[in-house]
Structure formats: C-alpha cells, structure tokens
C-alpha cells in the first residue's frame, strides 16, 4: 500500500529589502489617496521631520556613543540657514540650499563636538547644552537671521524644484517623504560600512578601537558632523514642510529632549528605532488628548494635557530603560521572530 504524503510549502522569510519597499509603496501610493488633510498636517509631516532628527541623533548617540542634548539647535541652524540661503542667493535650487543648510549645521556640530575629544558621557551631554543656548540666543539677538523681522518669525519659502511647486499638505508630504527616504538609505549604507563599524568600535571601547587602528578623534568629529547634517535637514523639513514658519522658539530645549526620547524609546543603534520612536511621540499626545476628553470632559484642558503627557511619557521612558533598553525596535524584532517561528512550525 502506498502512502500519499502532502508536502506543504515551508515558510520562507522575506528578503531584507521587501519590507522597506512595501512601506514606501504604501507611503507613496495608498496614503496620498486615502489620507486626509488632518493626517498629513497633524501626524505625517511632524512624524517625518522628527524621524529624520531621531535618525541623526541615533547615528551620534546610538552608533558612535556620543551623547548630545543640542539637537534642536542644529535643527534651528538648518532651518534658518536654508531660509537665508534661499533669500540671499538668487537662482539657487531649493535642494542645493537644503544641502548647504545641512553643511552649515554640520559645521556648527563640528565646533560643539570638539569637547568630545576630552569629555565623555554626562559631561559631554552637559557641554552640548552650550550649543542649544548659544544658537537660540544668537538667532534671537541678531535680527539679520530673521531678515529683520520684528517678531523674529519668518514665513517659509515655497517648496519648488525644477519649476514644480509642492503645494498643499500632500505636496509637502511627498517632498518630506522623498528627503527622508533618501537620507535614511544613505544612513543605512553608512552604518553598515567601515565608517559605521568605526563608530561602534569607538562607542564600545575607545582604547581597543585605538589599538586596532581606528582614528578615534576623527571618528568622533565625523559622527558629530554627519549627525548634525541630518538633524539640520530635519529642521528644514520641520520649518518649511510642517510649520511653514521659522522661529527660534520652535527649537527650544524641550525639542532636544523630545528627539532624545525618540531615540531612547525607539531603540539605540537602530535605523527603524528612529521611526518607531517618532511615531509614538507624535501619536501619543493625540491619543492622550482624545482619551482625556472622553474620560474627564472639559476638565482635561491643554494645561492638564501637557502635564499628563510629561508624566506618562517619563514613566514610559523609565519602563523602557528598565524592562527593554533596546526600545521598540527590539520588541518588533522579537515579535517578528516569534511569528516566523510559529509559521515554520505550522
């Protein structure tokens, strides 16, 4: 008697490029069709800008191990540099202006990264506060940066490339999405290159890195420059794409802590972690506001919302540091592996 055996197709994991490609297909195709103006203005545009800022800080802190509390300052440098370059250099393409603004932020990052050659850890973090306070003071003190505006608030120029203007929420979303996609791909290639391995070596053990031939001082400054460049471009997206205005108050110390929280919650040394953390930071206040309004009504005003948000967010950060130091990215990886194991066993 013959035995008939049914061979079921075995589970095979998708290649690494499949998930990002699927996300981009949805982001470029489905989201603009089905998304509302509120989705673009209140969620997606700030999410993209903060994700890019978190990515820049993660390169510096997560991969290179250099703590910084001045991220908002580099965002401000990028935003104001892009505004002034566009204003004072006629005929310069917008993309060229954004790149130059990124280089301006990188130059400031190099200057304030010099203490990393002598300082580490908490002392380096405190020293980077000088960038936050100095940049905000300079932008407020010298009206030239804001084109002599009495209020210090300036309107962002139109987002135009090769005669095509990215107007409205969808147009600005496409512009921000493209910039974030390109820089994320470059960052991914960077952290998987020899430069990225040098960053990790310096982070793990500077002495061992120096022994094996890693140029420690150069690597630290390069990490500050690359991180500041990306954060500076994020500042351009925040001002030009999201807020449509540029003002120093929008890049205060709270913004720097917000970007740091994105990195901690999302996961250090993880490209995806920046996006996971930014998604939580952007969506969390909206969900908290809706929930508070349902439970407490008019008592849950903006002041109570702000206080509650800080308390709950602080508690979440403590929980992540204690229970899951590797952040949401690690949770995602474990969940995906469990699903893959269950599919293979079935």
């Amino acid at each position: 008697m013959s035995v008939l055996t049914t061979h079921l197709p075995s589970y095979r994991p998708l290649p690494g490029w499949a998930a990002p490609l699927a996300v981009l297909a949805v982001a470029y195709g489905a989201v603009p069709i089905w998304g509302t103006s509120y989705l673009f203005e209140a969620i997606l545009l700030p999410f993209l800008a903060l994700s890019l800022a978190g990515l820049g800080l993660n390169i510096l802190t997560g991969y290179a191990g250099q703590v910084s509390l001045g991220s908002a300052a580099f965002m401000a440098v990028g935003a104001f540099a892009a505004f002034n370059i566009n204003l004072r250099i006629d005929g310069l393409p917008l993309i060229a202006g954004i790149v130059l603004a990124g280089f301006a932020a990188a130059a400031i990052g190099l200057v304030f990264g010099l203490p990393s050659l002598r300082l580490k850890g908490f002392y380096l973090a405190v020293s980077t506060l000088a960038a936050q306070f100095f940049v905000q003071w300079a932008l407020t003190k010298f009206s030239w940066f804001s084109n002599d505006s009495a209020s210090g608030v300036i309107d962002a120029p139109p987002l135009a490339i090769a005669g095509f203007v990215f107007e409205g929420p969808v147009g600005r979303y496409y512009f921000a999405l493209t910039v974030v996609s390109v820089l994320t791909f470059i960052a991914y290639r960077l952290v998987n290159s020899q430069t990225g391995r040098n960053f990790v070596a310096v982070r793990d053990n500077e002495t061992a890195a120096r022994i094996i031939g890693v140029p420690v001082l150069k690597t630290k400054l390069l990490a500050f420059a690359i991180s500041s460049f990306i954060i500076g471009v994020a500042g351009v997206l925040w001002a030009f794409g999201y807020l449509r205005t540029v003002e120093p108050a929008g890049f205060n110390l709270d913004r720097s802590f917000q970007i740091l929280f994105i990195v901690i919650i999302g996961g250090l040394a993880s490209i995806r972690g920046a996006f996971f953390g930014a998604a939580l930071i952007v969506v969390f206040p909206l969900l908290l506001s809706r929930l508070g309004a349902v439970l407490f009504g008019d008592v849950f005003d903006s002041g109570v919302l702000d206080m509650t948000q800080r308390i709950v967010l602080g508690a979440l950060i403590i929980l992540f540091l204690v229970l899951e130091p590797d952040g949401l990215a690690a949770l995602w990886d474990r969940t995906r592996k469990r699903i893959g194991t269950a599919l293979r066993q079935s």
Side-chain angles (χ1 to χ4, degrees), residues 2-195:
S2 63
V3 179
L4 298 178
T5 304
T6 303
H7 295 280
L8 296 176
S10 59
Y11 169 77
R12 295 181 180 178
L14 295 174
W17 51 263
L21 188 62
V23 171
L24 286 177
V26 172
Y28 276 100
V31 173
I33 295 176
W34 301 104
T36 62
S37 295
Y38 177 82
L39 177 66
F40 294 114
E41 297 281 5
I43 298 177
L44 293 180
L45 284 170
F47 161 73
L48 289 170
L50 290 176
S51 295
L52 190 59
L55 176 62
L57 182 60
N58 216 341
I59 289 177
L60 179 66
T61 302
Y63 286 95
Q66 310 302 304
V67 184
S68 172
L69 295 177
S71 300
F74 305 130
M75 288 183 72
V77 171
F80 276 87
F83 169 79
N84 281 280
I85 289 170
N86 178 82
L87 177 68
R88 304 179 195 282
I89 303 179
D90 294 331
L92 185 70
L94 177 64
I95 292 298
I98 294 177
V99 172
L100 290 176
F103 280 121
I108 300 298
L110 276 175
V111 172
F112 287 97
L114 290 174
S116 68
L117 305 182
R118 295 288 184 181
L119 302 178
K120 298 179 183 179
F122 172 78
Y123 300 100
L124 177 60
V126 172
S127 71
T128 58
L129 284 175
Q132 181 65 50
F133 296 136
F134 174 78
V135 169
Q136 196 165 7
W137 169 81
L139 294 177
T140 305
K141 179 70 174 179
F142 302 103
S143 60
W144 180 88
F145 292 110
S146 58
N147 197 28
D148 297 321
S149 172
S151 62
V153 180
I154 49 183
D155 295 328
L159 301 176
I161 299 177
F164 182 81
V165 181
F166 293 86
E167 293 180 322
V170 177
R172 289 184 277 119
Y173 163 76
Y174 270 129
F175 179 84
L177 178 62
T178 302
V179 173
V180 171
S181 299
V182 171
L183 287 181
T184 300
F185 175 74
I186 294 174
Y188 173 79
R189 295 296 299 270
L190 173 72
V191 298
N192 288 283
S193 67
Q194 183 59 49
T195 300

Side-chain angles (χ1 to χ4, degrees), residues 20 92 110 138 149 159 185 203 207 216 234 239 241 256-257 304 316 343:
L92 185 70
L110 276 175
S149 172
L159 301 176
F185 175 74
R203 178 199 67 192
T207 303
V216 174
S256 291
F257 279 112
V304 176
L316 282 176
L343 291 174

